[in-house]
Amino acid sequence: MDAFIEALQEKSVVLLLFWICIAESDTTCDSGGPMSQQESVRILTRIFRATSGARPVLLLGAGASFSSGVPTAAESVKRLAKRVYAEQVLGGGVPPEQVRLTEWQTWLHDQLWYLKGDDRLAENFPLVVQHLLKPAEYRKQLLLDLINPTNGIGKGYHRLAELVVKGLVSTILTTNFDTCLPAALGAVRHHIGHIAEVNRQSGDLNEFSLYAKAQIVWLHGRAEQYSDKNLVEEVQQLDPELVGKLIPLLADSPLVVIGYRGSEPSIMEHLLRDGAAQTNKFKNGVYWCVRKGETLHPNVEAFQRQIGSNFEALEIDGFDELLDQLSRGLKSEDRYLHAAAKGASASIAFDDQPVAEAAVADLDHDLMIATLKEYCEKLGRPPVTTETLPGLLREQGLLVQRDGKEMPTSGCVLLFGREPQRWFPHAVISTSIGGKKRRVFEGNLITQHRDLIEWLGEKDANPVLKVKKRTTHDERPAYPERALVELLVNMLVHRDYGRSDPALIVVSPGENVRFSNPGGLPDSVVAQLELDDGGRFKPRAEVSALRNRALCDIFFGIRAMERAGTGLVDVEHMLADHGGETEFTNDAPGGRFTAVVRQPAASAGSKSVARDERHTEVYVLNFIPFVSIPDTISVVKLTGSWRDRPTHLPMDEAGTFTVQGDQYVWSFAPLPILLAVFGSYADKSASRAWRRGEIEADPDRRRVLSWLLRRHFERHLRGFALRGLVLEESKNRGRRAYFEGNAARARCYVYDSPARKNIQRWVVKQRGPDGYKAWFENEGFGYEVTQMDGIWGIRIKPFYMFTGRDAKKPLPSFARTARSTRRMKLDRNQNVENDLTFWGRFLSQGAQTINLGQQHVDDLILGGTFVSVEVIEEESGGAADQRSNPKAA
């Protein structure tokens, strides 16, 4: 052990100790005390950065949970004394809240063991536990009630969980017994995997690891296991075996102690002061944070004298405030940016197994960028780029090393593969309506998710019913759309992809929709449910298990799933509110899970009239967002004007660009490429690469950026020339594109949707008679690059161009205006929505994303669908509540 410790001491180690004095201390810091909060945050931010060699270890005390409603030691003494007095002295006849101060306080002060003095109130906590909380079950009951976070989990704990997700901290030591820490980490466990818990009871050290991704060490045990150490003799010394495991960690990693006063000998003497000799006096520094206006506990001052200049006091305002500022300062930090290729995961889960025959080239790069950008945005991680994508995929276990070769896992291929059915031909979903209209949905899971949502929204699958109310009737879908989507996501992420059985969605018109999936419920879930002889069960909140953690992680990150364990319960509630019913069945022998949703009860036998209450509506906005934009823009200043540029310049090699003021060339292409293209005609000293944030901060530069984005979009539009789409020459009406006729005749465009194949849409229609009076109605759209809520995108406005008998040349403006006015009278909201759906399909060619990067440019990706917003409708028809933020439909 000594040799191991000496080896660890040779590494670069930082010991970070956060300490927040508890509220009842009335001492103050002297003038030579700790530095300001701002300076403290600056120092700690540097220590937490992803580039730091050592990861901080946190030690949390009662002060960290104070804002969550968990009392400090002094307040705990008061609450416990009052309750014991009410229940044991008064025999339970008077509720604790009715006991008066003069009653319980006089009784407490009369106890022979009580330490007198308000400044020593907190020191009485172990004495109260020892003398008043007996027997063991009574002690457990009162402590569990005491540590319940009545205010909910504090902001600081959630910020700490975010740092764990980013890999900036992994091990947390705590003297507390409350549930704030495990609850905060549990809320993000889908992104961090297993959460190790060490020393929940005596000898429970098996899960300890020097390299854990998320690890809680309960220094004094847990109240639930009767292992909490609160008595005087119990806080003198820690478990020697536990200390033996912690010392190497403390010699090589940062430690965070939050809200700990430093009074227990078990921590201050047995762990820290005795450990100083084995860690070379914590040679990389101890940073002890003191709450503003308070001083160090005498035990901490003694520890400071022992390690000398390696100790530094930092002033903070509080745990929540500190973690909030640290989180903001570390927003762009994430260890995956620096991830190296890792060995294959030891997990035997199907989605973690490598696909030996697959390569990175078999993955859809644009789809990964678009999907994982949204994933990172939700988790507060830096936006993923082409450079950082491999590191993120490795960190998430989606790319692994086998025999010196990097390969995607099954989960990665299922999520992002260009042709995942090459390796998993059974990974499709078969649908049918009324025993007919059979359709097989294939492609990767992101594509299946999008296409099946659209299919489930069609009237064949979810018809509109006339729903009777008390005095009127309303029209709404037979099934809550969100319920169908919830069951679809459940099918995609919880399926057993190791089985070759088909996944089925069967619509029985007028009756129900059945989702049948390979893979029954895990045994751990079955053990917590009550199943009847047929395998039917009623779902319970937060009873869940993740069969495919990699798939669940991505779907959670893109907001397609809510927190674990509520999906089926939500479906049950939605159907009940809607007037329908649900049935969930686990077929253990057949290894299948089935969910059936039944539409509201029919009225007088009608399949189109039913009864129910509530309603949500999805609104489609005419805005296609950019899901990825390069972070750098090159601006080249020319030595002369653009008009006078030399004719020999190889402009074909410059890619897409725009010119500002006849002298500045803007492009997403790397600056060296542009300088090579313009050669001596470029003023190299006045040319530079700008960060996009700098550009967007200036209104004039932001406008030029919009021109550049528009140029890329227009270059994409010109690629549809063979399909008859042309850009309008005139700029008087803004930027527009429209279809021309086919050889002076109408034009039909044929495309596929998730619901139907070979859809015919007449995009150019003849409206006038044959001959010289003939005229045509041509579909088109206006477009502009704009920002919505800070997000760049393309705003699309469908319109009709009216052309003469050649179906190309526009009619005179007065003739177009008259026809346009008459045509607009025929359009309704549904027509407009259908137009947007068509244009989204056309521009993306049915793909999830549109790569506008073209030559030299990576990561310029436009979404493949318009933004949609789901809104709950009031009885009066107004929007009562916006259910979700705008996102791609």
Side-chain angles (χ1 to χ4, degrees):
M1 175 63 74
D2 291 340
F4 180 51
I5 294 174
E6 290 176 3
L8 290 175
Q9 289 173 340
E10 295 301 319
K11 298 181 179 180
S12 176
V13 179
V14 177
L15 176 65
L16 172 62
L17 186 59
F18 290 0
W19 184 77
I20 303 176
C21 301
I22 62 173
E24 59 266 25
S25 175
D26 59 1
T27 55
T28 58
C29 298
D30 57 37
S31 58
M35 58 192 66
S36 69
Q37 157 110 355
Q38 184 176 359
E39 181 68 11
S40 300
V41 170
R42 185 184 65 79
I43 293 174
L44 297 180
T45 299
R46 171 180 56 82
I47 294 171
F48 270 92
R49 290 198 184 282
T51 52
S52 296
R55 293 295 94 221
V57 173
L58 281 70
L59 171 62
L60 309 185
S65 302
F66 182 75
S67 65
S68 302
V70 178
T72 58
E75 179 62 25
S76 296
V77 169
K78 299 176 183 178
R79 296 188 187 184
L80 290 173
K82 180 186 288 190
R83 181 164 176 182
V84 172
Y85 183 84
E87 294 178 351
Q88 296 190 5
V89 177
L90 301 181
V94 178
E97 58 269 17
Q98 294 184 12
V99 176
R100 297 295 177 255
L101 178 63
T102 55
E103 296 179 279
W104 69 264
Q105 182 172 281
T106 301
W107 165 76
L108 179 63
H109 288 188
D110 286 343
Q111 305 301 313
L112 297 178
W113 45 263
Y114 181 76
L115 301 176
K116 303 295 191 298
D118 291 341
D119 58 335
R120 304 189 67 183
L121 189 58
E123 298 178 47
N124 282 284
F125 180 74
L127 298 172
V128 168
V129 174
Q130 177 178 353
H131 293 283
L132 301 183
L133 304 191
K134 296 184 285 188
E137 181 62 27
Y138 186 65
R139 167 175 166 174
K140 173 183 176 181
Q141 176 187 345
L142 265 64
L143 288 179
L144 288 179
D145 291 344
L146 186 71
I147 63 179
N148 179 46
T150 57
N151 297 338
I153 308 303
K155 177 171 62 176
Y157 278 108
H158 289 298
R159 296 295 177 266
L160 175 56
E162 292 172 4
L163 299 183
V164 174
V165 169
K166 294 181 178 184
L168 302 182
V169 65
S170 56
T171 297
I172 305 169
L173 318 180
T174 180
T175 63
N176 299 336
F177 313 112
D178 61 70
T179 59
C180 295
L181 176 59
L185 293 179
V188 294
R189 66 182 180 276
H190 314 293
H191 307 297
I192 59 178
H194 178 63
I195 303 171
E197 294 191 56
V198 181
N199 201 40
R200 287 170 293 189
Q201 54 191 1
S202 180
D204 178 23
L205 307 177
N206 293 332
E207 292 197 24
F208 181 84
S209 172
L210 293 173
Y211 312 104
K213 184 174 182 180
Q215 178 172 240
I216 303 174
V217 179
W218 302 96
L219 293 175
H220 289 159
R222 296 203 66 177
E224 293 91 333
Q225 280 76 32
Y226 299 96
S227 64
D228 58 286
K229 292 179 172 57
N230 286 300
L231 307 183
V232 175
E233 62 271 18
E234 291 175 337
V235 295
Q236 298 303 306
Q237 187 171 349
L238 295 178
D239 182 340
E241 186 179 355
L242 174 62
V243 173
K245 290 182 176 294
L246 292 179
I247 289 300
L249 180 66
L250 298 181
D252 196 44
S253 304
L255 172 68
V256 178
V257 181
I258 303 177
Y260 178 59
R261 294 187 312 126
S263 61
E264 290 90 350
S266 58
I267 306 298
M268 298 307 304
E269 298 291 338
H270 193 199
L271 180 62
L272 296 182
R273 297 197 64 179
D274 291 352
Q278 301 179 68
T279 57
N280 196 13
K281 294 186 178 180
F282 302 107
K283 62 179 181 180
N284 293 285
V286 173
Y287 299 83
W288 201 291
C289 297
V290 182
R291 190 163 180 162
K292 186 176 182 179
E294 299 180 351
T295 55
L296 302 175
H297 188 280
N299 288 346
V300 181
E301 291 178 335
F303 177 56
Q304 178 183 15
R305 291 191 294 270
Q306 181 182 9
I307 66 173
S309 61
N310 291 335
F311 184 99
E312 185 172 7
L314 304 177
E315 183 179 90
I316 64 173
D317 295 333
F319 171 57
D320 288 351
E321 295 81 358
L322 174 64
L323 267 295
D324 187 53
Q325 284 194 258
L326 277 176
S327 179
R328 290 199 298 269
L330 296 165
K331 183 177 180 180
S332 299
E333 292 292 317
D334 198 303
R335 291 192 73 194
Y336 85 80
L337 293 171
H338 313 281
K342 298 179 181 179
S345 170
S347 173
I348 60 174
F350 181 86
D351 57 339
D352 288 334
Q353 297 174 5
V355 182
E357 301 82 6
V360 175
D362 296 310
L363 305 176
D364 188 330
H365 176 274
D366 294 342
L367 180 61
M368 287 191 291
I369 290 289
T371 303
L372 294 176
K373 182 180 180 184
E374 183 176 357
Y375 174 95
C376 291
E377 181 181 354
K378 179 184 177 184
L379 299 182
R381 305 177 78 156
V384 67
T385 65
T386 296
E387 290 74 23
T388 62
L389 176 62
L392 176 59
L393 294 175
R394 294 172 190 134
E395 191 259 352
Q396 294 303 93
L398 296 173
L399 285 182
V400 296
Q401 285 279 348
R402 284 291 188 274
D403 301 324
K405 176 185 176 183
E406 190 167 57
M407 60 189 69
T409 63
S410 299
C412 188
V413 171
L414 286 169
L415 286 164
F416 305 120
R418 295 182 184 277
E419 299 178 70
Q421 280 70 41
R422 284 175 53 192
W423 298 276
F424 310 109
H426 57 281
V428 298
I429 295 181
S430 178
T431 66
S432 64
I433 300 177
K436 304 177 182 178
K437 298 182 180 179
R438 300 186 184 278
R439 174 85 186 275
V440 176
F441 288 83
E442 53 187 21
N444 56 56
L445 300 190
I446 303 298
T447 299
Q448 289 185 29
H449 175 245
R450 182 202 64 178
D451 290 348
L452 278 159
I453 286 178
E454 186 171 331
W455 179 81
L456 287 168
E458 292 287 329
K459 292 183 180 179
D460 286 348
N462 193 7
V464 174
L465 303 181
K466 291 182 179 180
V467 182
K468 289 186 176 181
K469 297 185 177 181
R470 180 175 298 177
T471 58
T472 63
H473 74 266
D474 195 4
E475 291 187 352
R476 66 188 60 175
Y479 310 99
E481 294 169 350
R482 182 64 205 175
L484 298 182
V485 172
E486 193 78 49
L487 292 176
L488 168 63
V489 173
N490 183 82
M491 170 173 277
L492 291 171
V493 302
H494 294 310
R495 176 177 178 175
D496 185 351
Y497 287 95
R499 298 172 61 99
S500 59
D501 310 31
L504 307 171
I505 302 178
V506 179
V507 178
S508 298
E511 298 178 7
N512 59 56
V513 180
R514 179 183 298 270
F515 296 78
S516 181
N517 213 27
L521 296 177
D523 293 339
S524 60
V525 174
V526 172
Q528 301 178 68
L529 299 173
E530 296 181 6
L531 280 68
D532 66 14
D533 294 339
R536 289 178 292 272
F537 65 93
K538 184 178 180 64
R540 292 175 52 193
E542 300 185 8
V543 174
S544 179
L546 306 181
R547 174 179 279 114
N548 304 301
R549 289 187 171 274
L551 306 185
C552 291
D553 178 52
I554 297 301
F555 273 81
F556 275 115
I558 62 174
R559 301 177 175 90
M561 296 176 68
E562 300 298 335
R563 69 182 188 276
T566 65
L568 298 186
V569 175
D570 290 343
V571 170
E572 184 179 46
H573 291 166
M574 283 185 277
L575 265 293
D577 290 344
H578 199 73
E581 297 177 347
T582 56
E583 180 181 295
F584 304 106
T585 305
N586 180 54
D587 179 9
R592 296 189 73 84
F593 168 79
T594 302
V596 179
V597 290
R598 297 186 176 88
Q599 70 178 52
S603 175
S606 171
K607 292 185 177 181
S608 62
V609 181
R611 303 180 295 273
D612 192 55
E613 316 268 328
R614 300 186 53 188
H615 183 160
T616 64
E617 196 69 61
V618 176
Y619 294 89
V620 179
L621 308 183
N622 62 330
F623 182 84
I624 305 178
F626 281 94
V627 295
S628 179
I629 300 177
D631 197 45
T632 303
I633 296 95
S634 300
V635 180
V636 174
K637 183 180 180 181
L638 305 179
T639 57
S641 71
W642 170 254
R643 291 189 301 272
D644 298 331
R645 68 190 182 280
T647 57
H648 68 272
L649 294 179
M651 298 311 303
D652 290 344
E653 299 178 13
T656 303
F657 58 87
T658 190
V659 179
Q660 176 200 16
D662 203 39
Q663 196 173 13
Y664 292 89
V665 177
W666 288 53
S667 174
F668 290 120
L671 184 61
I673 291 178
L674 294 180
L675 293 176
V677 168
F678 289 99
S680 60
Y681 201 61
D683 183 350
K684 294 184 179 181
S685 62
S687 303
R688 60 169 290 191
W690 292 74
R691 301 289 292 181
R692 182 154 55 89
E694 299 177 275
I695 299 292
E696 293 176 332
D698 181 89
D700 293 331
R701 295 192 183 104
R702 187 167 63 243
R703 184 169 56 255
V704 181
L705 174 59
S706 73
W707 299 348
L708 179 58
L709 292 171
R710 191 193 69 229
R711 290 295 301 273
H712 277 268
F713 181 65
E714 289 176 340
R715 188 165 177 176
H716 175 70
L717 294 182
R718 291 189 178 93
F720 295 110
L722 294 178
R723 292 178 171 87
L725 189 73
V726 297
L727 301 185
E728 188 176 19
E729 295 294 335
S730 173
K731 299 181 181 179
N732 294 334
R733 293 178 175 268
R735 304 284 175 169
R736 304 201 298 186
Y738 63 91
F739 284 106
E740 290 183 335
N742 186 8
R745 294 185 178 276
R747 180 182 293 273
C748 181
Y749 181 75
V750 181
Y751 68 103
D752 296 334
S753 79
R756 290 184 293 162
K757 293 281 190 179
N758 298 322
I759 301 172
Q760 293 186 349
R761 183 180 179 99
W762 290 92
V763 294
V764 178
K765 302 173 184 175
Q766 183 174 339
R767 291 303 192 188
D770 291 334
Y772 74 95
K773 290 186 177 182
W775 60 277
F776 290 82
E777 179 184 278
N778 306 46
E779 291 196 36
F781 62 89
Y783 59 90
E784 64 173 330
V785 175
T786 186
Q787 282 185 302
M788 184 177 73
D789 196 24
I791 299 174
W792 286 101
I794 307 291
R795 178 176 291 140
I796 299 292
K797 184 178 180 181
F799 81 104
Y800 295 99
M801 173 62 75
F802 301 99
T803 57
R805 60 177 179 268
D806 64 352
K808 293 183 178 181
K809 184 178 180 180
L811 294 174
S813 59
F814 70 88
R816 298 204 307 269
T817 301
R819 286 170 172 78
S820 179
T821 302
R822 290 195 297 269
R823 185 63 180 82
M824 288 173 58
K825 293 180 179 179
L826 302 176
D827 275 349
R828 298 292 184 266
N829 288 339
Q830 188 62 47
N831 293 340
V832 174
E833 183 175 333
N834 291 340
D835 287 346
L836 291 177
T837 301
F838 165 72
W839 284 117
R841 283 274 162 187
F842 176 79
L843 293 172
S844 68
Q845 294 296 286
Q848 293 270 20
T849 57
I850 306 170
N851 191 322
L852 301 183
Q854 294 131 18
Q855 194 174 1
H856 305 310
V857 179
D858 294 321
D859 303 346
L860 182 58
I861 303 173
L862 190 66
T865 52
F866 288 91
V867 164
S868 67
V869 180
E870 184 180 0
V871 175
I872 298 176
E873 298 292 327
E874 294 178 339
E875 286 292 319
S876 62
D881 175 48
Q882 183 170 309
R883 178 62 60 86
S884 61
N885 291 326
K887 62 178 181 178

